Amino acid sequence: MKKKEINVALIGYKFMGRAHGNAYISAPKFFSLPVQPVLHTIVGRDQKGVAAVANQWGWKSFETDWRRVLENEEIDLVDVGTPNSSHAEISIAAAEVGKAIACEKPLAMNVAEAKAMVKAVKKNRVHNYVWFNYRRAPAISLARELIDEGRLGKIYHLRAVYLQDWIMDPNFPLVWRLQKKIAGSGAHGDLNSHLIDLARFLLRTEFDEVCGMAKTFIKERPIEIPGRGFATVKTARKKGKVDVDDAVLFLARFGNGAIGTFEATRFAKGRRNGNQIEINGSKGTLVFNLERMNELQFFDDTLPKQEQGFRRILVTEPVHPYIHGYWPPGHIIGYEHTFISMVVDIMNHLAGRTKEFHADFEDGLRCQEVLDAVLLSCKERRWVRIKEVA
Ligand code: SOE
């Protein structure tokens, strides 16, 4: 019997367009899904660029105006892979015409937008998802299982960093991620959003209070010259002010009594995508490092003293989350599999096989509240309760 098709419209065709497109193609190849995702329409403002991607990736059609896909009755799922400033407009419009929505992180530019998005999906009763993909790294899911089983005991610390270095050249231009009117914030919204979501996912608790500091190391950069691309050292007669952070560090108090330290920066030379988390409890410690994403370090204090030490769990066994759909033990998986596994869960949820899906827009709003509270703390140089911005 032919499976029900889920026609996907993907808005945005560059980095996340590739990660999401690959996930829709691969998910039904590795897992037996109750429905069939279809690469229906991909959307991008640059007709030449989006047409080339549609052709290369096998999208049935392409558009240059996202509004057109919302008018298309055939579309079931709208995937918002655009810069942050358009997440709310597109998602709310999609909800109002009854489409399910999968939106990239951070959900919105601020709490007000995130609240409006949650209100729209609830009012229109549409399924909604946020691409916090690292929840589905098998080692992260295993970490949560171990915490849930009490293997760490009482949680004292969560220590998380997300370290990159791609904008350390002063001649790197003022791209959209470095413009507040498009991104909302810099490394903070882009990277701390992942850490905040993972903290909520792993500890099953909410943030209570935060205190942060922000830093912009390079204050101005070459700007794009219309029709001539981004300025370079040779052509850069004009530079634009950088109005977002290059790094944001913050402290946190959690509702469960644990405390946290968070660091997001794009100025950690040599750290290309250094997402690392350590959780310390009364009975042990877990350590995750995205650059070694198939491993989970576990110190188990309940072992006999002579056997104690950090153990490296290779998270590639069929019993480990999602692995059964991929490869035999030891045949490791990668960054793209976190997106594939997320599409598996989205399709099962859309088909009604599962009743709940996280991260959803409520999770995205909880994350936005913490993001905004930290920015308020940076501005006013004080501790801020999350409820001040909620
Ligand atoms: C930043 O460059 C970025 O692409 C983030 O936006 C993604 O969310 C992260 O997964 C990889 O780095």
Side-chain angles (χ1 to χ4, degrees), residues 15-16 104-105 133-134 162 164 166 177 190-191 194 266 273 335 339:
F15 182 3
M16 286 302 132
E104 257 301 328
K105 41 53 64 183
N133 56 298
Y134 294 124
Y162 205 145
Q164 294 182 347
W166 54 284
R177 289 181 190 276
D190 189 23
L191 304 177
H194 277 301
R266 292 165 170 161
N273 198 35
Y335 172 72
F339 293 91

Side-chain angles (χ1 to χ4, degrees), residues 264-288:
T265 183
R266 292 165 170 161
F267 275 69
K269 180 62 77 177
R271 294 293 183 192
R272 303 312 199 200
N273 198 35
N275 178 347
Q276 303 175 50
I277 294 180
E278 176 164 327
I279 299 171
N280 308 129
S282 57
K283 293 162 65 178
T285 287
L286 288 169
V287 184
F288 171 78

Side-chain angles (χ1 to χ4, degrees), residues 317-358:
E317 299 297 319
V319 292
H320 289 138
Y322 305 106
I323 294 295
H324 65 280
Y326 294 119
W327 311 122
H331 296 64
I332 55 176
I333 65 171
Y335 172 72
E336 71 277 18
H337 293 87
T338 64
F339 293 91
I340 297 169
S341 299
M342 185 156 156
V343 167
V344 170
D345 289 349
I346 287 175
M347 294 300 140
N348 281 318
H349 186 249
L350 286 173
R353 239 191 206 169
T354 53
K355 290 293 167 251
E356 279 215 8
F357 178 98
H358 292 283

Side-chain angles (χ1 to χ4, degrees), residues 16-177:
M16 286 302 132
R18 295 167 72 233
H20 299 186
N22 174 65
Y24 293 121
I25 291 167
S26 303
K29 303 287 192 285
F30 286 91
F31 294 81
S32 167
L33 299 181
V35 291
Q36 178 64 33
V38 172
L39 277 64
H40 190 286
T41 304
I42 189 162
V43 182
R45 283 172 297 191
D46 169 38
Q47 174 155 339
K48 191 160 172 280
V50 71
V53 169
N55 178 52
Q56 183 179 6
W57 286 75
W59 288 87
K60 289 169 72 174
S61 63
F62 65 88
E63 277 289 349
T64 55
D65 177 357
W66 60 265
R67 293 166 187 79
R68 296 286 301 275
V69 299
L70 300 198
E71 294 159 5
N72 186 333
E73 295 284 320
E74 291 179 11
I75 299 300
D76 303 298
L77 173 64
V78 174
D79 186 336
V80 184
T82 58
N84 306 343
S85 54
S86 56
H87 289 184
E89 181 186 15
I90 298 172
S91 297
I92 291 170
E96 285 170 353
V97 293
K99 309 289 187 191
I101 307 142
C103 184
E104 257 301 328
K105 41 53 64 183
L107 181 63
M109 295 284 277
N110 51 50
V111 166
E113 279 194 355
K115 277 182 176 174
M117 295 165 83
V118 169
K119 185 177 172 196
V121 296
K122 283 186 171 176
K123 177 182 156 220
N124 295 283
R125 302 167 63 83
V126 294
H127 291 316
N128 53 96
Y129 314 104
V130 183
W131 286 98
F132 282 119
N133 56 298
Y134 294 124
R135 287 178 175 227
R136 291 170 167 85
I140 289 284
S141 291
L142 174 63
R144 183 156 90 146
E145 287 175 10
L146 293 172
I147 294 169
D148 285 352
E149 289 164 16
R151 300 293 298 278
L152 290 195
K154 177 177 173 48
I155 304 297
Y156 297 127
H157 288 278
L158 182 140
R159 192 169 302 103
V161 298
Y162 205 145
L163 313 174
Q164 294 182 347
D165 66 355
W166 54 284
I167 60 166
M168 293 181 71
D169 178 349
N171 293 311
F172 188 92
L174 205 63
V175 295
W176 73 261
R177 289 181 190 276

